[in-house]
Amino acid sequence: MADTYHHEPPYTIGVICGSIAASSINRRLANALIKLAPESLELSFIEIDTLALYDRERDDDYPPEAVALKQSISAADGILIVTPEYNRSIPGALKNAIDWASRPYGENALSHKPVGIIGTSPGAIGTAVAQQHLKSIMSFCNAPIMNEIEAYIQFTDDLLDDDDSVANESSKEFLTTWMQTYDEFVRRVLTVIPKPDGSTAA
């Protein structure tokens, strides 16, 4: 069971970008979301680019980078995943990170973590299919998922400026609302999550 339970803000949020490309438009979107976050959320990246492919034969001897990943997720109050869509699903690097984080059996770092999912793509459907796949995976990992508001962002030339701030006013308003909704979702989840002693937080 995760050791996170309700406390006063600020809440620490681990941000995972599904793409490991330095020029990723989803990393740029993640940077923009960090700037739009309410003061009650403290967001920082959890990197996944150094992870080897998951191998169950290493369950008894996790590599250091996988241990660090699990520790970072366990220490966070919530997780925000910003992902592209590859071949109508999530990137292999992201699935690999989830496999490391959720195993071995009984040591799932994602359990009970409030998760927000968002993504951007040049295409009009804006990662909608990938997000649905990811929600199914997160559900199996026992991670509460924010289902409202959904955010499938089409990446256009006017979406972000050179500093990765949202340049389009209507998009800025929507993404600000999305981050505020995620903040409220994190609060709700952390309020009802079981404490380590088995009771619930008030």
Side-chain angles (χ1 to χ4, degrees), residues 9-151:
Y11 301 112
T12 58
I13 305 298
V15 181
I16 298 176
C17 181
S19 171
I20 60 174
S23 60
S24 167
I25 58 176
N26 279 275
R27 182 171 286 271
R28 294 187 63 194
L29 176 61
N31 288 332
L33 293 172
I34 290 172
K35 295 178 182 181
L36 295 176
E39 292 184 358
S40 52
L41 300 182
E42 293 183 347
L43 294 91
S44 59
F45 282 100
I46 297 176
E47 303 295 352
I48 63 173
D49 58 318
T50 62
L51 293 165
L53 288 177
Y54 172 75
D55 179 356
R56 67 176 181 81
E57 292 184 349
R58 303 193 69 180
D59 279 357
D60 293 330
D61 185 24
Y62 253 44
E65 59 272 18
V67 172
L69 172 73
K70 290 174 71 82
Q71 290 175 340
S72 295
I73 292 174
S74 294
D77 293 312
I79 300 296
L80 175 61
I81 302 177
V82 188
T83 186
E85 180 172 299
Y86 292 175
N87 300 321
R88 294 292 187 262
S89 190
I90 63 173
L94 176 57
K95 178 59 166 62
N96 185 54
I98 294 169
D99 289 343
W100 280 116
S102 60
R103 298 175 182 233
Y105 180 79
E107 298 180 25
N108 176 14
L110 291 162
S111 183
H112 297 298
K113 295 291 178 180
V115 173
I117 297 172
I118 190 171
T120 187
S121 166
I125 64 172
T127 74
V129 180
Q131 289 191 43
Q132 292 306 311
H133 284 190
L134 183 55
K135 287 180 179 181
S136 178
I137 295 168
M138 288 294 99
S139 177
F140 180 80
C141 291
N142 198 35
I145 307 161
M146 186 179 87
N147 290 307
E148 186 184 20
I149 311 165
E150 294 181 317

Side-chain angles (χ1 to χ4, degrees), residues 3 6-8 10 12 17 21-22 50 72 76 112 116 126-127 164 167 192 194 199:
D3 57 6
H6 182 65
H7 60 82
E8 294 303 312
T12 58
C17 181
T50 62
S72 295
H112 297 298
T127 74
D164 291 346
V192 299
S199 63

